[in-house]
Amino acid sequence: MQVGTGDGGNQDGEDGQQELEGKESPSEIDNGKVQAQIPGPVPNIPSPNRLTGARRSFGEYAKPDGNSSNLRGSLKKYSSRSGGGSGTSRRLASGITAGSGLLGMMQGDSVNANGRTLSLSELNGLSTDQAIDRISEHLAPENGDADSVRLALDFALAEVLPEEDAFDESMFTDDVIQEAISCYLTDLIFQDVVNGMGKAWFHAEHPSKHHRMEEELRDLIKVITQSKVEKVMNENGGNISQDNIAKVQIDAISQTVDEWESFND
């Protein structure tokens, strides 16, 4: 997947970025470039049993008497056995790429993704739900991560946008943009954990327990992720731009997951 942001100019397929009518054509961020920004060595093919301990702890958390201590112990093992923050960032490279496109759209740019271009101004007048669907469909990668990225985009936008009858691009103030990025990264990380824990979820025999587990896990991730986004933002002068958005996401994800290793078992 490649995402480019700009003023709606077309891309030249032969030699990349050229100026069109005096304007710079969109710069592109792709998964390869995202991977290159992630610190640490590229891990070897992981052992299929690496998450056994984390899943066992998560299974204890899913039982009727399971508690937040079990959850934290599971996340601690999950971080240490899945490559920590850098490993998680590598797994979420497609999501980081889509997040860069999301920022561009929220800041008013036309965004090129998967050979198509979309800007928020084209969505004015649609219902909020329709606009969210268009954005998510546009930015979702054409690979195996499509569903998880689409879900994270849906979650983040539904969290930050008012339930108005008609969508209006002016809804995206600076505060809303920052909150959207935090919510988006929260759900990317949440889904990574959900997928990693696999069948351990099935230890929750009652639907109400399953629902509480999802809420507690998401809330725990969100509290840490929001604080990390704010920290990374301050380190970047309070600005998120196309020049630093990939690094902002990588740092926030990495710092969130690395913090789990400080949890007590």
Side-chain angles (χ1 to χ4, degrees):
M1 174 188 178
Q2 293 183 322
V3 171
T5 62
D7 298 315
N10 294 322
Q11 296 182 357
D12 188 316
E14 294 183 357
D15 55 9
Q17 318 309 316
Q18 293 186 346
E19 290 191 357
L20 298 175
E21 298 178 356
K23 297 180 181 179
E24 291 187 0
S25 58
S27 60
E28 289 189 351
I29 301 174
D30 60 30
N31 292 344
K33 293 178 182 178
V34 168
Q35 294 279 2
Q37 294 186 57
I38 299 172
V42 177
N44 297 323
I45 297 174
S47 164
N49 298 320
R50 69 192 185 284
L51 296 178
T52 299
R55 289 169 178 159
R56 185 179 299 114
S57 293
F58 198 82
E60 292 298 316
Y61 169 58
K63 292 179 180 179
D65 59 348
N67 54 44
S68 60
S69 178
N70 300 126
L71 172 60
R72 288 172 175 263
S74 176
L75 292 178
K76 179 176 183 176
K77 294 171 185 174
Y78 187 78
S79 176
S80 64
R81 297 296 295 163
S82 64
S86 64
T88 303
S89 295
R90 291 190 187 282
R91 288 193 299 278
L92 299 180
S94 291
I96 293 170
T97 302
S100 299
L102 175 63
L103 175 71
M105 293 190 72
M106 291 190 297
Q107 291 182 333
D109 292 330
S110 295
V111 171
N112 300 322
N114 304 317
R116 303 181 301 273
T117 303
L118 183 68
S119 65
L120 293 185
S121 61
E122 299 174 51
L123 308 179
N124 287 335
L126 295 179
S127 71
T128 301
D129 286 345
Q130 288 174 327
I132 290 174
D133 287 345
R134 288 281 302 277
I135 295 168
S136 299
E137 187 64 30
H138 183 69
L139 294 175
E142 294 180 334
N143 60 29
D145 297 322
D147 288 343
S148 61
V149 171
R150 189 180 293 109
L151 285 170
L153 289 165
D154 287 345
F155 170 77
L157 293 170
E159 282 287 296
V160 302
L161 292 178
E163 296 181 1
E164 303 288 349
D165 291 335
F167 176 82
D168 186 337
E169 61 182 317
S170 65
M171 295 173 177
F172 287 101
T173 63
D174 290 344
D175 288 343
V176 169
I177 290 173
Q178 181 173 332
E179 177 68 10
I181 294 297
S182 292
C183 291
Y184 175 66
L185 297 180
T186 292
D187 203 67
L188 283 181
I189 298 169
F190 170 81
Q191 290 186 68
D192 187 64
V193 174
V194 169
N195 292 333
M197 294 308 177
K199 295 181 180 179
W201 282 95
F202 299 153
H203 288 268
E205 298 177 358
H206 197 279
S208 63
K209 172 67 174 181
H210 194 284
H211 180 69
R212 288 197 303 274
M213 287 167 58
E214 289 190 354
E215 283 192 333
E216 187 171 13
L217 174 59
R218 194 190 297 276
D219 287 346
L220 177 60
I221 293 171
K222 184 175 182 179
V223 167
I224 300 174
T225 302
Q226 280 187 321
S227 70
K228 300 307 179 184
V229 169
E230 291 172 3
K231 178 178 181 291
V232 172
M233 282 279 292
N234 290 334
E235 292 171 352
N236 287 276
N239 296 316
I240 303 181
S241 69
Q242 283 301 312
D243 292 333
N244 63 22
I245 181 56
K247 186 176 187 303
V248 165
Q249 294 179 90
I250 291 167
D251 289 350
I253 291 169
S254 296
Q255 292 174 21
T256 296
V257 176
D258 285 343
E259 184 162 319
W260 297 348
E261 295 192 37
S262 68
F263 289 166
N264 294 323
D265 291 324

